[in-house]
Amino acid sequence: MLDPITAAPHRPDSTVISALRGLQGRATVGDVVSATGLPDHEAEVALRSLLETHRGHLEVSDSGDLLYRFDPTLIERDAEPFRARFRRVAWSAFKVGFKIWTAVMLVVYFVVFVLILIALMTANRDGRGSGGRRGFSLGDFFILHWLLGGRGWDRRGLYYGDRHARRLPKDARPPFYKKVFAFIFGPEEPRPTQLQKDRTVVQLIRARKGILTSSELIEHTGLPIDDAVEEMGRLTGAYGGDPRVSDAGEVVYAFPELMRSAHGEVRAREPEPAWMRLEYPKKLTGNSGGANVGIGAMNGFNLAMASVIGLPSSFDPVTFYGLGVVPFTYSSLFFAIPIVRSLTLAGENRARMRRNVRRLLVGLVYSRSVGTSQWVAAGDAIRHVTRALDGQQVPPKMILAELERLAAEFDAEVEAEDEGFTYRFPAIRETFVEAELMRRRLKLQDQRLGRIVYATSDTAAEASRRDLAAFDRELEGARLDLSRYLPSHTRVGYEEDFEVVMDPDPARM
């Protein structure tokens, strides 16, 4: 039976945090025990809990010892700088106020101007004007249904754009006013909880028999290696992980609790890798073309009528301000806000393109490295990415910059050729081999302890036998077939932003 620390994560007390600050954020379990007087078991539980709540990760010393590395100021993971928080709150307050203004202005002024236009058109034919409307007609019910949506729409529901709306039942489609707000401020962005974001990672851990390395997490997420190492630290604290150092010095994370099930042996499907979960370019409004045309026409009509009827009536203050200045100002802002947003949207989509390029390169590099550690030429990388992102203008400089970044992260071997540099990533295969050997050793799917690899009571003969076993282990690693962990890098797919917050398919878990 394994004996990892599986206690539920909790927020460490102030003594542990104070000790870490005094140790500049870098400590072993022994350092914390010495500084606080806690038993080693409690110190280890506290450190792993701290990995979940604060920015930090694990390191391995030359002697194979685990070191906990935190930001020296012990910054919490969810901490947000004051300026960023102020901008977010201010923008949110402005959006709420403008949405309330929109609910009154767009539709009410549209109806008022339409009635005025009808009255002007019929005034010459009928001295009584339009005669006025009395009562509430059947047509008014249709208008309200159009504005407020069908019976199945959740009034607290969020509108993520037309692509999401098309997946909903017909009577649960978003109301018109949601599309108006999206025209101004863009579609609402999914706000997944940490648990929702962790679902596919937990699925990956279970599919890989409770063992994961930072390199395998990169295969799934495309994260930079420093972020992946820190994320593995958080997962360790959140899900009772047991970091172990392999014989080759690789940190391998075991999650025995995730491999226990009330339904017998855990069988989980591999989630899609990073290159099959590319990000779509972000939309300015998220609406369909027809909805944007209709909304733009309504506001354009209000703007035109304010310019023609209200503003020229300077002699009548009520008409000048009520039908001129106010609707003209509002309608101008209605068009100006999306125009300003479009300027920042270009930068966001460029960042998405860069992440997509990295994910595609991860697929190419891993496919060439996990098997037989083949070379990756710069020209091959450019052709692979441009083919996968067909229709998008991807600068070759961006592709080469991301390839060089990957090479630096994995300490790749580099050679200069006539057509540019070529790269080889032997470290990637090594991490996959270490993870696979650890799976075979620990057998977490069976919850049994694997073979002993070291004992302080070894005699010289026993140590010699272990050395021979280590040599056999290297041969075994060279023969391992790891292809089942790596879908084809030529299979490329996209993932919608809102899919993270949708209910998962239990069969996939």
Side-chain angles (χ1 to χ4, degrees):
M1 185 72 180
L2 292 173
D3 59 348
I5 305 300
T6 56
H10 64 277
R11 187 171 295 275
D13 58 33
S14 58
T15 58
V16 176
I17 294 177
S18 298
L20 284 170
R21 286 200 176 105
L23 294 166
Q24 300 297 310
R26 191 166 184 262
T28 63
V29 172
D31 290 331
V32 174
V33 169
S34 176
T36 63
L38 288 171
D40 58 355
H41 175 85
E42 292 183 20
E44 188 169 3
V45 170
L47 286 169
R48 294 188 186 184
S49 297
L50 200 62
L51 283 173
E52 182 183 0
T53 58
H54 291 66
R55 297 178 186 174
H57 59 272
L58 290 166
E59 294 179 346
V60 182
S61 69
D62 293 338
S63 59
D65 295 316
L66 282 175
L67 293 89
Y68 291 80
R69 184 71 173 266
F70 297 93
D71 185 278
T73 58
L74 275 295
I75 299 175
E76 294 191 16
R77 289 187 181 275
D78 297 331
E80 185 179 18
F82 173 77
R83 289 185 179 180
R85 185 167 63 253
F86 178 80
R87 287 195 299 267
R88 178 175 56 80
V89 172
W91 175 243
S92 178
F94 173 77
K95 286 170 64 175
V96 171
F98 201 86
K99 285 179 179 180
I100 295 173
W101 196 16
T102 298
V104 177
M105 296 292 297
L106 183 65
V107 176
V108 171
Y109 269 97
F110 181 79
V111 173
V112 169
F113 282 135
V114 167
L115 292 176
I116 291 174
L117 187 60
I118 292 174
L120 292 174
M121 294 174 62
T122 59
N124 295 331
R125 291 186 297 153
D126 187 352
R128 296 172 298 175
S130 62
R133 290 183 59 202
R134 295 180 182 178
F136 196 77
S137 67
L138 182 63
D140 295 314
F141 283 108
F142 285 110
I143 292 174
L144 287 175
H145 180 82
W146 177 56
L147 290 174
L148 301 179
R151 294 176 303 173
W153 171 257
D154 182 359
R155 302 300 169 197
R156 297 170 299 176
L158 301 179
Y159 176 55
Y160 301 132
D162 186 62
R163 286 201 294 253
H164 175 258
R166 287 199 295 264
R167 299 191 184 189
L168 301 175
K170 192 171 183 180
D171 65 344
R173 297 290 170 84
F176 176 70
Y177 72 85
K178 284 286 188 179
K179 299 179 182 181
V180 173
F181 295 158
F183 185 96
I184 305 170
F185 299 108
E188 291 168 297
E189 296 185 2
R191 301 291 183 186
T193 64
Q194 189 61 60
L195 292 178
Q196 287 173 327
K197 290 187 286 188
D198 285 350
R199 279 192 307 227
T200 57
V201 177
V202 171
Q203 182 183 345
L204 177 68
I205 293 172
R206 299 189 98 192
R208 300 200 175 178
K209 301 178 181 179
I211 301 295
L212 201 68
T213 63
S214 300
S215 296
E216 291 176 308
L217 183 65
I218 292 173
E219 177 196 353
H220 175 66
T221 62
L223 286 171
I225 194 165
D226 288 343
D227 293 344
V229 170
E230 185 166 315
E231 179 65 4
M232 287 304 304
R234 186 192 67 80
L235 292 169
T236 296
Y239 297 102
D242 180 25
R244 297 175 178 239
V245 182
S246 72
D247 294 344
E250 179 73 22
V251 180
V252 179
Y253 300 83
F255 296 85
E257 288 299 313
L258 294 181
M259 296 307 295
R260 293 191 173 100
S261 172
H263 305 282
E265 183 179 353
V266 172
R267 295 184 181 276
R269 291 173 55 186
E270 285 261 348
E272 303 290 7
W275 56 94
M276 295 182 67
R277 299 167 54 241
L278 303 181
E279 299 176 76
Y280 283 105
K282 195 173 182 179
K283 298 292 185 181
L284 182 63
T285 70
N287 295 329
S288 64
N292 284 334
V293 169
I295 295 167
M298 286 183 65
N299 190 64
F301 175 78
N302 288 353
L303 185 64
M305 291 297 290
S307 302
V308 172
I309 295 177
L311 294 180
S313 304
S314 57
F315 59 89
D316 182 359
V318 175
T319 304
F320 177 70
Y321 286 101
L323 297 180
V325 173
V326 173
F328 182 86
T329 302
Y330 164 79
S331 298
S332 299
L333 286 173
F334 191 99
F335 283 135
I337 293 173
I339 292 174
V340 174
R341 283 198 308 105
S342 67
L343 302 178
T344 61
L345 188 66
E348 291 182 28
N349 282 336
R350 186 173 180 85
R352 289 191 170 211
M353 178 184 288
R354 184 177 293 107
R355 289 195 293 269
N356 285 345
V357 168
R358 178 181 173 86
R359 292 178 181 186
L360 290 168
L361 289 176
V362 166
L364 176 64
V365 166
Y366 274 49
S367 68
R368 297 279 183 90
S369 304
V370 171
T372 56
S373 296
Q374 303 173 27
W375 291 89
V376 178
D380 291 341
I382 293 174
R383 284 188 290 272
H384 172 65
V385 172
T386 53
R387 188 184 303 115
L389 298 180
D390 186 29
Q392 302 183 41
Q393 300 298 321
V394 186
K397 288 184 178 180
M398 179 185 291
I399 301 173
L400 293 177
E402 290 301 318
L403 181 59
E404 290 172 2
R405 189 170 289 111
L406 274 174
E409 290 176 8
F410 289 101
D411 195 22
E413 300 172 5
V414 185
E415 289 188 0
E417 302 287 347
D418 294 338
E419 298 182 357
F421 290 106
T422 58
Y423 305 86
R424 186 170 171 268
F425 298 79
I428 292 177
R429 175 175 170 80
E430 291 173 7
T431 60
F432 272 71
V433 167
E434 292 305 305
E436 184 66 8
L437 292 175
M438 190 68 75
R439 290 184 190 103
R440 296 186 178 191
R441 177 187 303 173
L442 298 182
K443 296 181 174 63
L444 292 184
Q445 68 276 15
D446 300 331
Q447 295 294 292
R448 293 197 305 268
L449 183 64
R451 64 182 177 84
I452 302 299
V453 295
Y454 174 74
T456 56
S457 59
D458 279 352
T459 63
E462 289 170 336
S464 177
R465 286 196 296 271
R466 293 192 190 283
D467 290 339
L468 291 175
F471 179 73
D472 291 339
R473 175 184 166 280
E474 291 184 10
L475 293 179
E476 181 185 5
R479 292 193 297 264
L480 285 176
D481 180 12
L482 304 170
S483 59
R484 65 182 180 280
Y485 296 127
L486 204 69
S488 172
H489 67 284
T490 59
R491 292 176 53 210
V492 176
Y494 284 82
E495 182 180 66
E496 297 279 9
D497 294 349
F498 56 79
E499 289 183 7
V500 180
V501 299
M502 295 177 69
D503 292 332
D505 178 5
R508 294 182 60 87
M509 303 300 288

